[in-house]
Amino acid sequence: MSVRLKGAPKFGTKAEVKNLNSFRHVKLGIEHEILRQIALIESGGRVIQESRLYNVESGETASMRSKEEAHDYRYFPEPDLVPLHISDEWRERVHSEMPGTARQHACALHQFVWTP
């Protein structure tokens, strides 16, 4: 996650938070990291691109490893998954069998109800 000044066009430097093994810990970890980054920036510090570990007992995050030299470390192939190839025919068949969107259903209902 990253913070930015209200109205700023670009996000700040991002930091990953790990060890979030429940929805409660996700919430607490995000809240702590947002407050940590804001306090750091307001005190004249600089957020560095890194992975941080959320400590359930202390309710704080701690640096695990720096990503300062990483250009973009979010995307990498999963080595345990085989490539999935989807044919155009299969995709088109699935698409044709999908129900309409909520907007399409609402329009159809509106026409049914209001058409004399």
Side-chain angles (χ1 to χ4, degrees), residues 36-115:
R36 183 192 76 83
Q37 288 187 20
I38 290 170
L40 185 62
I41 292 168
E42 287 180 344
S43 69
R46 183 176 74 86
V47 176
I48 63 169
Q49 187 172 344
E50 65 182 338
S51 291
R52 298 186 64 84
L53 175 69
Y54 179 67
N55 184 320
V56 176
E57 305 217 351
S58 69
E60 297 178 343
T61 61
S63 182
M64 287 175 55
R65 61 185 165 272
S66 173
K67 302 284 189 169
E68 276 296 289
E69 300 303 318
H71 295 288
D72 190 349
Y73 62 95
R74 295 176 295 173
Y75 305 108
F76 57 92
E78 171 56 53
D80 296 329
L81 296 177
V82 298
L84 176 63
H85 299 284
I86 298 173
S87 70
D88 289 339
E89 296 81 21
W90 184 80
R91 186 188 52 77
E92 289 170 13
R93 182 175 56 83
V94 168
H95 182 72
S96 70
E97 294 173 358
M98 291 177 64
T101 65
R103 179 180 288 277
Q104 290 169 331
H105 287 295
C107 288
L109 179 61
H110 184 268
Q111 287 178 350
F112 177 76
V113 171
W114 298 108
T115 303

